[in-house]
Amino acid sequence: MPETPGSIKLKTRRLNLYYGNFHALGDVEMDIKECSITAIIGPSGCGKSSLLRVFNRMNDLIASARVVGEVLLDDINIYQKAFDVAILRKRVGMVFQKPNVFPMSIYDNIAVGPRHQGIKKRQDLDDIVESCLRQAALFEEVKDKLKTPGQSLTLGAQQQLCIARALAVEPEVILMDESCSALDPESTMRVEELMLNLAKQYTIVIVTHNMEQALRVSDMSAFMMIGEDRIGRLVEYAQTTEMFANPKDKRTEDYITGRFG
């Protein structure tokens, strides 16, 4: 297990994930540092998104899913029975591959979470909406059209809106599942800049197929692939610059250099 300096926000210990009889993830162990960006990379079908969804128990929505081992958030196992899943998903937010903007105004897309938490005063909601839009680098673009539908924005701006919506419930961790894959290069650059700014305050874990993106934005990288036993496994986990310059495993080198994947 590599040593990761600083405070550790998330840990997995002998993490195994099953969908019915299918063994999707095998014995994944990693420490994720607070206020950093961790990239999960690897070929399609190796369990990257499944691992990401373990961190906020999104796999609970799949009836056949079963987790063995531990996932620790601030050293507390989120899979113990007493752990409140609703509180977990407030603390660990999710941004999906395609922008899932709600069919409501830009303002209401962000205010929906705080309202659900009991915040009703208009001024309080106004302040939250403006603050989150500013954090998502979207406020100047939309400040005069907050009542217009969120789905009227460009695809890139919709993804920024989804990030702003995730921020509105004050998470500690933000999970991003290939959140730039549907975006054009300019929008991708904006979201990457946003990630780097947000990492000063939040712990961010991304899944990406884009090696250049992982190198540009992440502090740590986790390379996964399907093992000979057909189980998704963590092959190598290291500082991104170190992994890309000097991978320890030949399989990591082959993937990073494009020999497979």
Side-chain angles (χ1 to χ4, degrees):
M1 191 67 209
E3 291 185 4
T4 307
S7 177
I8 303 302
K9 190 67 177 175
L10 280 167
K11 301 176 186 176
T12 66
R13 293 293 180 264
R14 295 191 66 82
L15 170 67
N16 288 264
L17 173 67
Y18 300 84
Y19 297 113
N21 293 325
F22 174 62
H23 195 173
L25 297 174
D27 292 330
V28 177
E29 298 216 0
M30 60 192 298
D31 291 353
I32 295 175
K33 184 182 173 185
E34 189 172 28
C35 293
S36 67
I37 301 176
T38 299
I40 304 173
I41 62 174
S44 296
C46 68
K48 301 185 299 297
S49 292
S50 290
L51 175 59
L52 195 74
R53 289 163 184 256
V54 160
F55 292 131
N56 72 344
R57 292 183 55 171
M58 286 289 289
N59 290 312
D60 286 13
L61 302 174
I62 302 171
S64 63
R66 177 170 58 94
V67 168
V68 177
E70 292 185 320
V71 180
L72 305 171
L73 176 63
D74 292 334
D75 288 323
I76 298 174
N77 184 11
I78 67 172
Y79 281 88
Q80 62 181 321
K81 289 183 178 179
F83 205 99
D84 189 320
V85 178
I87 292 176
L88 172 66
R89 292 183 185 147
K90 177 182 181 295
R91 295 177 65 188
V92 183
M94 187 95 173
V95 178
F96 296 93
Q97 182 174 4
K98 293 182 180 178
N100 61 331
V101 173
F102 296 158
M104 55 182 67
S105 70
I106 293 169
Y107 184 101
D108 287 337
N109 260 276
I110 299 172
V112 63
R115 283 184 179 132
H116 184 70
Q117 293 175 350
I119 298 174
K120 304 297 183 186
K121 286 180 61 177
R122 180 70 185 203
Q123 187 57 57
D124 291 342
L125 290 170
D126 287 351
D127 290 345
I128 291 168
V129 169
E130 179 174 344
S131 173
C132 293
L133 285 171
R134 286 192 183 280
Q135 281 186 279
L138 192 59
F139 182 71
E140 292 302 322
E141 181 178 338
V142 303
K143 63 182 179 182
D144 296 324
K145 49 183 180 181
L146 294 177
K147 294 182 179 180
T148 61
Q151 292 169 329
S152 67
L153 296 171
T154 65
L155 205 60
Q158 285 186 38
Q159 195 65 294
Q160 288 172 266
L161 179 61
C162 291
I163 294 169
R165 188 177 66 211
L167 297 176
V169 296
E170 300 182 331
E172 299 160 37
V173 180
I174 302 172
L175 310 175
M176 306 182 78
D177 191 1
E178 296 190 63
S179 54
C180 295
S181 64
L183 305 184
D184 61 70
E186 183 179 348
S187 298
T188 295
M189 184 177 67
R190 284 205 305 271
V191 172
E192 287 181 2
E193 289 174 355
L194 182 54
M195 289 181 200
L196 291 168
N197 285 326
L198 291 174
K200 298 170 186 174
Q201 185 176 349
Y202 305 93
T203 302
I204 299 175
V205 187
I206 68 171
V207 165
T208 182
H209 280 285
N210 187 325
M211 296 301 95
E212 291 81 8
Q213 180 176 80
L215 191 55
R216 285 193 298 263
V217 304
S218 68
D219 302 289
M220 301 287 292
S221 285
F223 171 61
M224 298 182 64
M225 65 178 295
I226 297 290
E228 293 181 358
D229 52 9
R230 309 307 300 164
I231 299 170
R233 296 193 179 275
L234 179 62
V235 174
E236 188 166 344
Y237 182 52
Q239 290 188 355
T240 299
T241 50
E242 176 66 19
M243 180 185 287
F244 277 71
N246 185 31
K248 298 294 188 293
D249 192 291
K250 181 66 162 55
R251 294 168 294 177
T252 310
E253 180 182 0
D254 288 346
Y255 181 75
I256 287 172
T257 56
R259 292 192 181 98
F260 80 92

